[in-house]
């Protein structure tokens, strides 16, 4: 009957779980001898079916067995848990047992019962163990992240990098570092170890070289760093700028939408920008583009021109003009009045510059091919109203456009770029006329994130020329760094602006706006001292005389940018100790610490402290914050004297003491 | 950079006259508001490295301190002298010429792209045409939305073109704005 069919089905079932399999087989072999018995007890109606099944069963085939079984079940009510899956196996065991109980002798009953109970126990045990295992695993993963040991790292180095593993580890380290006290490893892995491992993982996962990753880690917090690097992997949206000399943004947007371009106004800070989401026609080859109605330009390139804010009928110089996006924007803002000098050093780029100027209908521009450093000689010093210097840089802000920057930049290249930028910014400042009616501004911008190319260059300009920083007018950017590692910049450097891909959704950019205060170049005796504070504010001069002689030696080098200057930037403490040559110091009367008070007036240094130097007019008075103690030998002498005095007084006391008492 | 001499001036003005006719005096006597003075200055022509530029006075004055070898472009370039000494207008002068043109032709939207690839204008692509065009006249080509696309020489007169078969050439192509993309290096 149904019971025997059940048996057969049981045998034919696929055995998935191994322990269950074994038991199945056991139970199966036990039951086999019982088959003939069961067969005899069957109704005649099912005999034929059973015989068929037996034949089929000899050549045990899963598929056929199960098929035939299901066929045989067609008429019967489906037993609970009687589908082909293994889940019902326990139930089936029980059912079978029940069935067989009814149909077989009591001896076999007891055996089967025992067996089924032992099977049950086994299953329970396994299930419990598995659950415990899972729990243990979860606990380990959530509570403890361990840095890979040296051995593990070596192993990894031999194998090809496993990206998902790296990504997981990066996320884990970021999580640990964000809550370091709680989540750090017990065996005293320092913060530095975590950061080192993170650097290694980031460079292998994203493809950066060590220098660049190190520089970025120093500039950003870890979570922000990850956002920044992710943002560098994706391209920024395409932007275009309407040419207000020929059309208006509304009209242009209408025409382009008709052509099938999906676009939107750029942001509330720009009245001429449009961002393109997708386009059915090539956006750089529409008839409107060719007629000069718009220019393809990244959003970050709008910023320096907006900061420059050129007025009509002014004279403006663009020192690194190609391919001409910013120059044409300047011309549009000036409405083709005044004069623009567009300079470009590299000849191959001149063609695109002239082509763009003509295409956009700019008529007030002169294009020349000079090295930027020579421009003041050609155009004259103090001759123009505004200058835009979009300096050649390392390009670390536009990694999303050019991936080769990830691996090709090194510390030397950055220093070279910085050197060139410093020379260019001085040339730019020299060209501007401080007394111009409406102008006198210089805008310095780069598409780089490195402090050495941005804030350091601006600080250098502040020290070398009579300029001051003014607000750019771009308040949605982040202020520039005032201090960075061991460097300290003038506090007004906070008026510069930095832009990041992960915050503003535009390329990494830096903008600074300077106003020229006086056409006089500071000479050696008059150069301004910025408040370059070092980490250690108290400085003891080893000897004043040494300083003087060194200052005299350096006076000659003042005007030229020599290696000394670049060295001095690298070696700030040395610079600070020796003081900038020829600097004017206005010092307050210093209060020497009390134990020196009795020595006041005895040292040559004191006289210097009290001297007040007359400053030329028009320059700000800078306060020197450094304290100057008397030189070391004199301090030693003073201490000796004090000790002697003490001994004497003690001796006196001892002599008198017993007498008095 | 130097002013044009007699022969060069005549060549330039002849070519311009083909396109602008009597409006030529508008070009030459255009008041320029570019300079800092409230009185408008004038425009003039200058020659540098075989290219002729149309610049305002104030610009010329300030550009004199740039050496000839380093000067690349002034104001608007209108054309160049070939090695053989003849003068050709280039596409850079399009905005100047288009605003003063007397013979104009408007293209249908379907044939715009063909002209921008450098092909001649065929009769089938013509939308509108001004009257009194004589073969050999300079013609400025516009799109139906009045965007200047380029210029060329008329091959047939206004009356004569209706007798042409639909593929007949009406305007011979000389310059178009597509050159900014196609031939950027050669401009």
């Amino acid at each position: 009957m149904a019971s025997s069919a059940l048996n057969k089905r049981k045998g034919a079932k696929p055995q998935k779980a191994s322990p269950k399999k074994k038991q199945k087989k056991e139970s199966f072999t036990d039951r086999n001898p019982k088959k003939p018995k069961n067969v005899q007890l069957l109704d005649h109606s099912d005999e034929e079916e059973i015989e068929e099944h037996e034949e089929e069963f000899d050549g045990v085939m899963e598929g056929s067995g199960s098929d035939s079984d299901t066929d045989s079940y067609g008429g019967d009510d489906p037993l609970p848990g009687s589908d082909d899956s293994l889940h019902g196996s326990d139930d089936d065991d029980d059912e079978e047992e029940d069935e067989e109980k009814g149909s077989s002798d009591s001896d076999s009953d007891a055996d089967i019962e025992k067996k089924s109970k032992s099977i049950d126990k086994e299953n329970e045990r396994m299930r419990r163990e598995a659950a415990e295992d899972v729990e243990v695993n979860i606990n380990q993963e959530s509570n403890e992240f361990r840095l890979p040991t040296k051995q593990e790292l070596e192993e990894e180095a031999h194998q090809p990098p496993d990206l998902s593993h790296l990504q997981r580890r990066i996320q884990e380290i970021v999580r640990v570092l964000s809550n370091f006290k709680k989540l750090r490893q017990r065996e005293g892995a320092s913060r530095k170890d975590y950061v080192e491992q993170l650097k290694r993982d980031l460079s292998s996962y994203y493809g950066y070289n060590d220098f660049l990753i190190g520089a970025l880690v120093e500039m950003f917090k870890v979570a922000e760093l990850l956002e920044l690097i992710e943002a560098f992997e994706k391209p920024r949206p395409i932007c275009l700028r309407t040419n207000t000399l020929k059309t208006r943004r509304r009209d242009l947007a209408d025409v382009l939408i008709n052509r099938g371009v999906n676009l939107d106004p750029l942001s509330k800070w720009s009245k001429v920008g449009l961002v393109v989401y997708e386009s059915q026609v090539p956006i750089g080859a529409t008839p409107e583009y060719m007629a000069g109605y718009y220019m393809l330009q990244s959003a970050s390139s709008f910023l320096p021109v907006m900061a420059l804010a050129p007025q009509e009928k002014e004279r403006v110089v663009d020192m690194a003009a190609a391919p001409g996006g910013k120059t044409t924007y300047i011309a549009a803002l000036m409405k083709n009045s005044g004069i623009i000098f567009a300079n470009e050093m590299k000849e191959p780029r001149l063609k695109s510059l002239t082509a763009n100027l003509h295409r956009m209908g700019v008529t007030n521009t002169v294009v020349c091919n000079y090295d930027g450093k020579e421009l003041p000689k050609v155009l004259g010093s103090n001759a123009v109203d505004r200058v835009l210097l979009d300096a050649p840089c390392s390009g670390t802000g536009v990694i999303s456009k050019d991936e080769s920057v990830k691996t090709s930049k090194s510390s030397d290249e950055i220093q070279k770029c910085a050197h060139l930028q410093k020379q260019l910014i001085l040339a730019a400042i020299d060209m501007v006329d401080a007394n111009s009616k409406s102008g006198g501004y210089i805008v310095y911008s780069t598409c780089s994130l490195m402090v050495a190319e941005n804030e350091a260059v601006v600080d250098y300009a502040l020290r070398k020329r009579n300029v001051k920083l003014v607000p750019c007018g771009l308040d949605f950017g982040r202020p520039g760094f005032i201090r960075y590692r061991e460097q300290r910049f003038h506090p007004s450097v906070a008026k510069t602006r930095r832009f990041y891909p992960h915050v503003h959704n535009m390329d990494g950019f830096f903008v600074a706006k300077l106003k020229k205060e006086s056409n006089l170049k500071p000479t050696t005796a008059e150069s301004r001292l910025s408040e370059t504070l070092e980490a250690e504010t108290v400085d003891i001069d080893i000897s004043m005389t040494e300083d003087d002689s060194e200052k005299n030696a350096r006076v000659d080098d003042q005007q030229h940018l020599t290696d000394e200057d670049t060295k001095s930037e690298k070696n700030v403490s040395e610079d600070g100790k020796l003081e900038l040559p020829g600097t004017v110091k206005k010092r307050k009367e210093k209060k020497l610490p009390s134990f020196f008070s009795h020595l006041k007036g005895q040292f040559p240094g004191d006289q210097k402290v009290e001297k007040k130097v007359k400053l030329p007019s028009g320059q700000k008075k800078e306060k020197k914050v450094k304290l100057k103690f008397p030189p070391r030998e004199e301090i030693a002498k003073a201490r000796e004297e004090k000790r002697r005095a003490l001994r004497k007084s003690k001796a006196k006391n001892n002599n008198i003491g017993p007498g008095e008492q | 950079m130097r002013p044009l001499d007699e022969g060069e001036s005549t060549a330039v003005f002849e070519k311009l006259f083909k396109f602008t006719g009597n409006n030529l005096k508008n070009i030459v006597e255009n008041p320029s508001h570019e300079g800092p003075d409230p009185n408008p200055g004038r425009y003039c022509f200058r020659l540098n490295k075989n290219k002729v530029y149309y610049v305002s006075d104030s610009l010329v004055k300030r550009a004199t301190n740039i050496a000839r070898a380093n000067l690349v472009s002034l104001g608007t370039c209108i054309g160049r002298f070939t090695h053989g000494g003849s003068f050709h207008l280039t596409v850079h002068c399009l905005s100047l010429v288009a605003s003063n043109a007397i013979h104009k032709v408007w293209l249908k939207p379907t044939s715009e792209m063909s002209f921008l690839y450098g092909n001649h204008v065929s009769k089938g692509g013509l939308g509108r045409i001004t009257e009194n065009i004589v073969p050999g006249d300079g013609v400025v080509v516009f799109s139906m939305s009045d965007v200047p696309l380029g210029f060329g020489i008329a091959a047939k007169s206004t009356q004569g073109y209706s007798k042409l078969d639909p593929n007949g050439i009406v305007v011979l192509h000389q310059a178009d704005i597509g050159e900014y993309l196609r031939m950027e290096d050669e401009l």
Side-chain angles (χ1 to χ4, degrees):
Chain A
M1 227 172 39
S3 59
S4 61
L6 241 181
N7 281 340
K8 304 235 171 58
R9 210 188 103 256
K10 196 48 58 71
K13 243 199 243 172
Q15 314 275 352
K16 280 180 202 165
S18 39
K20 290 178 188 170
K21 218 193 234 180
K22 281 189 221 149
Q23 275 128 34
K24 275 278 159 52
K25 280 191 189 150
E26 285 166 33
S27 56
F28 171 69
T29 49
D30 282 341
R31 281 178 203 132
N32 235 340
K34 282 166 201 144
K35 231 204 256 172
K37 242 201 238 168
N38 292 338
V39 169
Q40 282 164 21
L41 298 164
L42 284 174
D43 287 338
H44 289 286
S45 54
D46 290 326
E47 263 183 356
E48 293 161 16
E49 281 184 327
I50 287 162
E51 280 165 8
E52 279 176 31
H53 286 316
E54 281 185 340
E55 286 167 14
E56 282 177 339
F57 196 70
D58 289 329
V60 173
M61 297 271 298
E62 283 182 13
S64 56
S66 51
D67 281 344
S68 52
D69 286 338
T70 47
D71 285 340
S72 68
Y73 270 129
D76 295 335
D77 293 327
L79 292 165
S82 62
D83 51 339
D84 280 339
S85 64
L86 285 173
H87 302 300
S89 55
D90 290 334
D91 291 334
D92 287 337
D93 284 339
D94 290 338
E95 280 157 8
E96 218 170 51
E97 192 196 342
D98 287 340
E99 301 277 348
E100 305 217 320
K101 255 188 201 168
S103 54
S104 48
D105 298 336
S106 52
D107 292 332
S108 47
D109 240 1
D111 284 334
I112 290 167
E113 244 191 80
K114 270 193 223 160
K115 269 178 203 112
S116 71
K117 276 194 184 153
S118 63
I119 291 167
D120 278 344
K121 272 194 208 156
E122 269 291 321
N123 288 340
E124 262 304 312
R125 194 176 49 83
M126 305 229 73
R127 244 187 276 144
R128 246 185 295 119
E129 279 178 12
E132 278 173 10
D133 256 336
V134 167
E135 275 179 24
V136 167
N137 282 338
I138 290 175
N139 284 339
Q140 276 188 342
E141 278 182 24
S142 63
N143 286 345
E144 185 88 55
F145 167 70
R146 303 185 150 275
L147 283 178
T149 59
K150 269 193 189 169
Q151 285 173 337
E152 287 176 22
L153 283 172
E154 275 177 28
E155 274 176 36
E156 272 185 33
H158 287 302
Q159 296 162 4
D162 178 9
L163 290 177
S164 54
H165 184 60
L166 277 178
Q167 175 73 334
R168 250 189 322 119
R169 203 158 64 194
I170 290 174
Q171 302 281 4
E172 282 293 324
I173 295 182
V174 171
R175 199 174 57 88
V176 168
L177 284 174
S178 60
N179 194 355
F180 197 54
K181 272 189 192 164
K182 260 200 233 166
L183 297 172
R184 62 181 289 177
Q185 219 169 303
R186 296 306 147 92
E187 290 90 59
S190 69
R191 192 182 187 90
K192 189 176 167 204
D193 293 334
Y194 278 98
V195 173
E196 287 297 315
Q197 182 58 35
L198 181 66
K199 276 199 232 176
R200 262 177 265 138
D201 284 343
L202 285 173
S203 15
S204 58
Y205 188 77
Y206 290 104
Y208 285 79
N209 68 353
D210 292 330
F211 166 71
L212 194 52
I213 274 287
L216 291 174
V217 161
E218 281 155 19
M219 267 197 280
F220 296 97
K221 287 185 268 196
V222 183
E224 215 189 332
L225 175 68
L226 205 54
E227 281 178 29
L228 176 73
I229 292 190
E230 280 293 324
F232 274 145
E233 295 297 307
K234 298 177 224 134
R236 304 285 124 245
I238 304 174
C239 295
L240 49 93
R241 192 198 90 235
T242 30
N243 183 11
T244 47
L245 292 174
K246 292 198 174 184
T247 183
R248 286 182 310 193
R249 183 166 73 167
R250 239 176 299 139
D251 301 335
L252 176 66
D254 288 338
V255 170
L256 284 177
I257 288 171
N258 283 340
R259 285 203 185 271
V261 180
N262 191 354
L263 45 75
D264 252 352
L266 179 58
S267 293
K268 48 180 162 36
W269 46 262
S270 168
K271 293 201 188 92
V272 293
L274 289 165
V275 60
V276 176
Y277 296 119
E278 52 180 348
S279 168
Q280 291 171 2
V281 292
I283 194 74
T286 60
E288 285 72 38
Y289 176 81
M290 294 192 261
Y293 282 15
Y294 62 89
M295 174 96 186
L296 285 175
Q297 197 173 17
S298 57
S300 51
S301 301
F302 289 45
L303 303 170
V305 182
M306 286 165 62
L308 186 69
Q311 312 293 319
E312 295 188 33
K313 300 207 179 177
E314 279 190 342
R315 290 161 291 168
V316 179
V317 175
D318 186 352
M319 283 175 69
K326 299 186 185 77
T327 321
T328 46
Y329 193 9
I330 294 175
L333 286 177
M334 289 166 69
K335 301 199 177 77
N336 253 339
S337 68
I339 299 166
I340 303 178
F341 292 96
N343 177 55
E344 173 57 37
M345 192 174 89
K346 295 191 185 157
E347 266 199 59
R349 305 188 77 195
L350 285 169
K351 286 213 159 93
S352 59
L353 173 58
T354 15
N356 276 324
L357 285 170
H358 282 99
R359 187 174 60 82
M360 307 281 275
V362 173
T363 57
N364 65 344
T365 307
V366 179
V367 180
C368 50
N369 175 19
Y370 281 106
D371 184 349
K373 299 171 247 171
E374 298 167 25
L375 269 184
K377 284 184 224 148
V378 173
L379 298 179
S381 307
N382 309 326
V384 300
D385 295 313
R386 289 176 203 249
V387 174
L388 172 65
L389 171 55
D390 186 37
C393 64
S394 60
T396 46
V398 286
I399 290 177
S400 36
K401 278 191 201 153
D402 180 13
E403 290 211 11
S404 66
V405 173
K406 283 186 201 173
T407 48
S408 60
K409 298 302 163 194
S410 65
S411 173
D412 288 336
E413 282 212 34
I414 306 283
Q415 291 298 333
K416 263 191 252 162
C417 283
H419 186 92
L420 175 64
Q421 286 155 354
K422 284 172 184 147
Q423 292 175 298
L424 287 173
I425 201 174
L426 290 187
I429 295 172
D430 288 335
M431 272 197 286
V432 177
D433 180 14
N435 302 323
S436 111
K437 274 173 275 177
S438 60
Y441 292 100
I442 303 110
V443 168
Y444 172 77
S445 68
T446 62
C447 56
S448 162
L449 298 176
M450 298 284 130
V451 174
E453 295 178 288
N454 296 339
E455 285 89 352
V457 172
V458 173
D459 190 64
Y460 176 80
L462 289 176
R463 279 185 276 131
K464 294 278 186 181
R465 293 285 187 273
N466 288 323
V467 289
K468 72 169 185 192
L469 274 166
V470 295
C472 305
L474 305 165
D475 288 327
F476 55 95
R478 283 217 195 141
F481 294 120
I482 304 181
R483 44 187 171 74
Y484 177 71
R485 298 186 81 195
E486 76 277 3
Q487 293 173 289
R488 297 287 176 272
F489 304 122
H490 195 278
S492 66
V493 170
K495 291 187 192 148
T496 64
R497 288 286 178 263
R498 280 176 160 258
F499 298 90
Y500 296 120
H502 62 289
V503 179
H504 308 99
N505 199 17
M506 54 173 81
D507 298 316
F509 218 71
F510 172 82
V511 181
K513 186 170 181 181
L514 301 154
K515 172 135 179 52
K516 190 166 181 182
E517 298 195 292
S518 148
N519 279 333
L520 301 165
K521 259 190 230 182
T523 58
T524 57
E526 295 172 357
S527 72
R528 304 176 76 213
L529 175 68
S530 64
E531 290 178 27
T532 37
L533 304 170
E534 285 83 23
E536 55 288 331
T537 50
V538 173
D539 231 3
I540 298 179
D541 277 329
I542 297 184
S543 80
M544 293 297 218
T545 50
E546 279 179 21
D547 279 344
D548 283 338
S549 58
E550 295 214 35
K551 272 180 227 164
N552 289 333
R554 285 178 116 203
V555 153
D556 296 334
D557 295 336
Q558 177 60 18
Q559 293 292 7
H560 305 287
L561 179 62
T562 60
D563 284 311
E564 274 188 347
D565 280 332
T566 50
K567 255 194 241 163
S568 68
E569 256 101 40
K570 282 184 199 170
N571 207 349
V572 179
S573 53
E574 188 194 335
D575 192 19
K577 271 197 176 174
L578 294 174
E579 286 183 38
L580 293 169
T583 50
V584 168
K585 300 159 213 155
K586 183 192 177 195
R587 302 188 212 178
K588 293 188 273 192
E589 262 215 35
K590 295 236 167 50
K591 270 193 179 176
L592 295 174
S594 56
F595 60 91
F596 284 136
S597 51
H598 70 288
L599 299 167
K600 197 173 173 182
Q602 292 184 19
F603 300 116
D606 284 342
Q607 285 155 10
K608 277 204 181 172
V609 166
E610 292 169 18
K611 204 201 300 176
K612 281 183 190 169
V613 183
K614 191 183 169 196
L615 295 168
S617 57
Q619 278 190 318
K620 277 192 186 162
K621 293 177 185 173
E622 296 284 0
K623 291 181 189 167
K624 262 215 75 53
V625 185
K626 284 190 225 166
L627 296 173
K628 290 260 171 275
F629 287 104
R632 240 178 234 160
E633 299 95 46
E634 282 149 341
I635 297 173
K637 269 191 224 162
R639 281 196 188 129
E640 266 300 313
E641 284 187 22
K642 220 184 170 187
R643 270 182 231 127
R644 261 183 258 135
L646 260 176
R647 264 182 242 135
K648 277 185 201 164
S649 62
K650 261 193 192 169
K652 267 192 208 167
N653 279 342
N654 284 338
N655 287 340
I656 299 170
E660 280 187 355
Q661 288 165 2
Chain B
M1 170 181 60
R2 61 173 174 83
L4 301 173
D5 63 18
E6 281 283 339
E8 289 159 352
S9 300
T10 32
V12 171
F13 287 137
E14 261 183 37
K15 273 278 158 63
L16 283 175
F17 184 75
K18 266 197 201 166
F19 287 89
T20 63
N22 286 329
N23 289 339
L24 189 57
K25 69 172 171 33
N26 283 353
I27 294 184
V28 176
E29 290 169 14
N30 200 9
S32 143
H33 296 274
E34 283 177 16
D37 300 329
N39 301 333
R42 307 271 300 274
Y43 279 92
C44 49
F45 293 91
R46 288 288 180 270
L47 180 73
N48 186 44
K49 291 184 193 167
N50 285 333
K51 287 203 180 134
V52 179
Y53 297 96
Y54 174 74
V55 268
S56 65
D57 270 345
S58 46
L59 205 68
V60 166
K61 266 188 251 164
R62 315 258 19 262
T64 45
N65 25 0
I66 300 179
R68 204 182 301 163
N70 303 79
L71 183 62
V72 175
S73 167
L74 286 177
T76 318
C77 170
I78 51 171
R80 48 190 291 265
F81 278 97
T82 59
H83 202 62
S86 50
F87 178 70
H88 292 277
L89 288 169
T90 54
V91 68
H92 303 297
C93 70
L94 183 61
S95 48
L96 185 68
V97 163
S99 47
N100 297 305
I102 42 174
H103 306 299
K104 300 182 192 175
V105 148
W106 285 261
L107 288 186
K108 288 185 196 156
T110 43
S111 55
E112 267 176 29
M113 288 313 290
S114 165
F115 181 70
L116 293 179
Y117 274 110
N119 301 318
H120 304 297
V121 179
S122 63
K123 177 182 160 192
L126 219 48
R128 267 171 70 190
I129 183 166
T130 49
E131 300 171 11
N132 300 329
I133 293 184
V134 172
D137 270 348
V139 173
V140 179
V141 178
F142 290 85
S143 77
M144 287 318 275
S145 39
D146 270 337
V147 173
L149 297 176
F151 51 83
I153 298 284
K156 296 274 186 238
S157 63
T158 318
Q159 293 86 12
Y161 96 95
S162 44
K163 294 179 201 156
L164 275 179
D165 57 317
N167 289 333
I169 294 174
V170 181
V171 175
L172 293 159
H173 167 283
Q174 275 191 336
D176 67 89
I177 51 178
E179 286 175 16
Y180 284 121
L181 293 176
R182 292 190 334 260
M183 299 173 13
E184 205 181 43
D185 291 334
E186 295 164 32
L187 282 177

